Amino acid sequence: MNRLIFTFLFAIVTSLAVQAAPPRLACETLFTDTSLRNENTSVMITKSTDNYYRNFSVENSPKLVKLMEEKIKADTKRAYNSVERYEGKNEYRIILNINNEGYTINIGFTRYSDSEAKLFVQGEMAAFE
């Protein structure tokens, strides 16, 4: 009887621990690291009951564009789907779909040049909790 109770309690605790896992995306640091913000950056965050959208834009900063590319490359490893598009010599776009606890998180990155880029993260609020 004690063994059955222990097994039942263990199952409940384990399911609760797994249920509330934040996505831990590499690109999230672009929004949380305030040292990256300067006159060349713009951050927009929109929250609603069903949607959470964040946008990080960079102009005149090759260093930050390179950092954004590193972050998107790290998150690409977690994507179950991706779409890439190349335009001209410099423009590059990628959209990633990442599953987190049954919710889809969309990440989009556009590099316009070596010094200008935009990145967004979007999904249901529950995907980020």
Side-chain angles (χ1 to χ4, degrees):
M1 182 69 172
N2 286 340
R3 189 176 190 176
L4 181 63
I5 292 171
F6 175 76
T7 303
F8 180 72
L9 289 174
F10 181 75
I12 290 173
V13 170
T14 303
S15 67
L16 290 174
V18 170
Q19 186 177 13
R24 294 185 184 95
L25 301 169
C27 65
E28 284 185 302
T29 58
L30 297 169
F31 303 99
T32 58
D33 186 353
T34 56
S35 69
L36 299 177
R37 297 183 194 163
N38 58 41
E39 65 277 354
N40 297 321
T41 64
S42 172
V43 175
M44 181 177 72
I45 299 172
T46 304
K47 295 180 186 180
S48 69
T49 312
D50 298 329
N51 191 36
Y52 187 32
Y53 175 85
R54 294 175 287 177
N55 183 304
F56 186 83
S57 301
V58 174
E59 292 180 352
N60 303 318
S61 182
K63 180 181 173 184
L64 282 177
V65 171
K66 191 155 198 78
L67 178 64
M68 292 168 76
E69 289 174 333
E70 291 170 8
K71 301 292 184 183
I72 198 78
K73 187 175 181 180
D75 285 335
T76 299
K77 296 173 186 173
R78 295 187 52 197
Y80 68 84
N81 185 44
S82 66
V83 177
E84 293 180 275
R85 181 177 177 171
Y86 298 87
E87 293 183 33
K89 293 182 179 183
N90 289 319
E91 193 164 321
Y92 169 73
R93 298 172 192 250
I94 185 168
I95 295 178
L96 307 175
N97 303 120
I98 296 174
N99 184 3
N100 187 57
E101 303 297 326
Y103 298 97
T104 298
I105 297 173
N106 303 301
I107 301 174
F109 172 74
T110 303
R111 180 190 65 222
Y112 299 102
S113 68
D114 291 340
S115 62
E116 183 181 1
K118 291 184 179 183
L119 182 138
F120 75 83
V121 177
Q122 181 273 329
E124 292 184 47
M125 284 295 290
F128 300 94
E129 298 173 340

